[in-house]
Amino acid sequence: MENRGNFGSKLAIILATAGSAIGLGNIWRFPFTTGQNGGAAFIVIYFACVLLLGIPGMISEFIVGRRAQTNAARAYASLGRKEWRFVGYLGILTSTIILGFYAVVAGWCLQYLLAAIAGQLNGDTQYIVNYFQEFSSDPVKPCLWGVAFVFITHFVIAQGVNKGIERVSKLLMPLLLILLMILVVASCMLPGAVAGIEFLLKPDFSKVNGDVILEALGQAFFSLSLGTACLCTYASYFNRDTNLLKSATQIALLDSAIAILAGLMIFPAAFSVGVQPDSGPSLIFITLPNVFQQAFSGMPLNGYILSCLFYALLVFAALTSTISMHEIGTAFFHEEINLPRKRAAWILTVVCSAIAVFCSLSAGAYDLQLFGMPLMDFCDFLTAKIMLPVGGFLTSIIMGWLVDRKMVQDEFTNQGTIRESFFRAYIFSIRYIVPCCILMIFLHQFGVI
Ligand code: PHE
């Protein structure tokens, strides 16, 4: 088998893995979830979830992947029992389904980027609402953009770990940060922006209840790409001397910082023109194009430029995430069926394109339903509410209770070369806190507790 490749430097490891974590989940979902669930109160709970569950969960997946240096299924099996490969299979399946529907929204962003560049998003509110409705109910166009996004992802993956994933992450992640900073500064300088900053950051603990905590936990899992075997696959390209605790902490903090910055980009601009930011797709495809036009008309950085920057930001963020989802299955087919990497990538591309087409049609043009939900919503529900938590739960049980503790310790401390002080905290979290919390979310969402 050809050389698997490794990320070339510590920076590459951070940028590629943060690229997976930072995506539409941060820039789109986090801001309105925060706004709806008590602002800063939600952020405090979210941070607690990231620290207590997210970082230990990330380290666990890192240990599995970095130790085995192979695809997710074989990596889990190599921990001791052959049946554990099913946890890897589950991760591969989860990420394939997520890629299918995520690509649909990413495809919309791509269409909007081109529309913004072509100046087609200039118009009054009614025009922008009509534009979105016409586009999303078209049977062909959104499908083509979704499939186009899967193909762009394919092209990067086919180049390999270093020339593809690493190179694109090194280019797009700094660009993403720069674009976000420009948009945040522009937004916070608008008259009346303070109300938006307050809305995001003023703690309202009266809104906090069990649902809010579970919401924070679910958001942390999705945002950190946990439970999909994605981190495990990327960690198989880490070096043996990578400090896993430090890397997980840096990536989690970067991911959270970007989510908060995204809130500081969206709310001040929306409040400045008196728009209540609502949730769902309409936020990025109707509310924000409107806000950009109104708030920034007549300014040097006007609505046209800011819309282009905003959709470029979304496309870059989505692409670094879809790359990581694609890589999980590609590595699997490449190594398990011995297909050349490019051919393995095609399998994923064809399957995900098919899922994207059906999800896309269910989101507008046709009434494709499964269990009473449009197919797109069903895929979202199935992955985020069932498959991700199950993957995370099984990983924590295996790492906390079933595998040899000495092996876990050796990987955590890089064979004793890193101080052990945090190891006990990690083990405690992975044995008790992580599985109990996941079990609680699970039972709560099905109404058992
Ligand atoms: N973490 C990504 C986001 O926030 C989504 C993702 C989920 C990526 C699972 C990979 C695997 O958008």
Side-chain angles (χ1 to χ4, degrees):
M1 176 154 318
E2 62 203 81
N3 184 353
R4 296 184 82 244
N6 256 14
F7 290 131
S9 62
K10 280 188 192 134
L11 185 68
I13 287 175
I14 299 292
L15 291 182
T17 317
S20 166
I22 295 164
L24 299 176
N26 305 58
I27 296 176
W28 168 30
R29 198 166 178 277
F30 181 85
F32 71 77
T33 314
T34 302
Q36 283 168 350
N37 290 292
F42 178 83
I43 296 180
V44 171
I45 298 169
Y46 178 79
F47 264 121
C49 291
V50 168
L51 291 180
L52 291 176
L53 304 150
I55 294 178
M58 291 175 82
I59 296 174
S60 300
E61 283 199 30
F62 283 170
I63 290 178
V64 179
R66 205 262 309 257
R67 179 176 169 277
Q69 310 252 311
T70 181
N71 67 81
R74 205 184 298 178
Y76 274 93
S78 78
L79 289 173
R81 299 181 66 140
K82 256 169 113 192
E83 305 83 70
W84 291 346
R85 71 183 186 281
F86 285 103
V87 182
Y89 292 155
L90 178 70
I92 295 163
L93 189 64
T94 311
S95 55
T96 306
I97 300 175
I98 297 182
L99 176 52
F101 71 81
Y102 200 93
V104 175
V105 184
W108 292 357
C109 297
L110 198 55
Q111 149 77 26
Y112 266 67
L113 172 61
L114 298 182
I117 293 172
Q120 289 169 2
L121 297 182
N122 292 333
D124 61 9
T125 310
Q126 197 50 45
Y127 169 80
I128 290 177
V129 172
N130 290 346
Y131 187 92
F132 180 69
Q133 278 168 355
E134 241 167 65
F135 171 69
S136 61
S137 58
D138 188 302
V140 183
K141 257 195 187 173
C143 287
L144 289 180
W145 285 113
V147 172
F149 211 91
V150 179
F151 274 71
I152 296 173
T153 308
H154 173 100
F155 180 74
V156 176
I157 287 292
Q159 308 297 310
V161 175
N162 299 102
K163 287 202 190 126
I165 304 175
E166 181 172 335
R167 210 161 52 171
V168 170
S169 308
K170 277 184 170 163
L171 176 74
L172 293 190
M173 292 310 286
L175 265 176
L176 185 145
L177 264 177
I178 294 169
L179 293 184
L180 187 59
M181 293 315 292
I182 296 175
L183 285 157
V184 169
V185 171
S187 178
C188 288
M189 276 167 45
L190 287 169
V194 179
I197 301 176
E198 265 182 15
F199 176 72
L200 181 72
L201 297 181
K202 209 169 93 194
D204 179 359
F205 283 98
S206 69
K207 285 209 176 131
V208 174
N209 55 25
D211 287 336
V212 170
I213 297 174
L214 298 178
E215 190 68 55
L217 202 55
Q219 172 68 23
F221 257 70
F222 187 79
S223 189
L224 294 173
S225 310
L226 269 171
T228 57
C230 176
L231 300 175
C232 162
T233 306
Y234 268 21
S236 71
Y237 306 121
F238 286 8
N239 302 317
R240 290 259 172 240
D241 61 357
T242 304
N243 184 332
L244 301 182
L245 170 66
K246 200 164 144 195
S247 306
T249 310
Q250 285 170 340
I251 292 159
L253 292 181
L254 195 60
D255 185 67
S256 306
I258 298 278
I260 290 173
L261 283 174
L264 289 176
M265 159 181 77
I266 290 174
F267 288 113
F271 274 74
S272 131
V273 290
V275 176
Q276 266 288 337
D278 45 6
S279 59
S282 56
L283 175 71
I284 43 178
F285 299 111
I286 296 177
T287 314
L288 290 180
N290 242 318
V291 165
F292 288 138
Q293 299 308 325
Q294 290 181 43
F296 296 99
S297 62
M299 299 220 181
L301 266 182
N302 60 22
Y304 171 79
I305 298 177
L306 290 170
S307 304
C308 297
L309 297 184
F310 175 68
Y311 289 108
L313 171 74
L314 283 173
V315 168
F316 294 166
L319 183 60
T320 50
S321 294
T322 54
I323 289 171
S324 70
M325 299 172 205
H326 200 298
E327 176 61 21
I328 305 172
T330 300
F332 172 74
F333 287 119
H334 173 46
E335 291 169 0
E336 292 306 300
I337 313 184
N338 273 332
L339 286 176
R341 191 178 158 86
K342 286 191 177 150
R343 240 193 267 166
W346 273 116
I347 299 185
L348 254 282
T349 299
V350 170
V351 174
C352 292
S353 298
I355 299 176
V357 166
F358 285 111
C359 284
S360 174
L361 293 176
S362 80
Y366 295 105
D367 188 26
L368 294 178
Q369 298 216 350
L370 216 58
F371 297 101
M373 287 180 239
L375 187 65
M376 176 113 161
D377 298 3
F378 175 74
C379 289
D380 183 14
F381 169 81
L382 178 70
T383 51
K385 299 267 156 74
I386 300 180
M387 296 170 85
L388 287 186
V390 170
F393 180 78
L394 293 175
T395 303
S396 66
I397 296 294
I398 292 176
M399 295 303 283
W401 295 92
L402 303 177
V403 294
D404 174 28
R405 173 97 162 247
K406 174 85 175 62
M407 180 285 281
V408 180
Q409 185 164 2
D410 282 348
E411 280 297 328
F412 187 96
T413 61
N414 289 352
Q415 320 299 328
T417 56
I418 296 173
R419 272 195 304 139
E420 292 187 5
S421 42
F422 289 106
F423 180 68
R424 275 171 201 280
Y426 161 72
I427 280 290
F428 182 77
S429 172
I430 213 69
R431 292 190 101 180
Y432 303 103
I433 304 179
V434 176
C436 288
C437 287
I438 298 179
L439 206 61
M440 267 165 48
I441 327 183
F442 213 69
L443 296 179
H444 181 84
Q445 80 194 1
F446 292 106
V448 181
I449 52 170

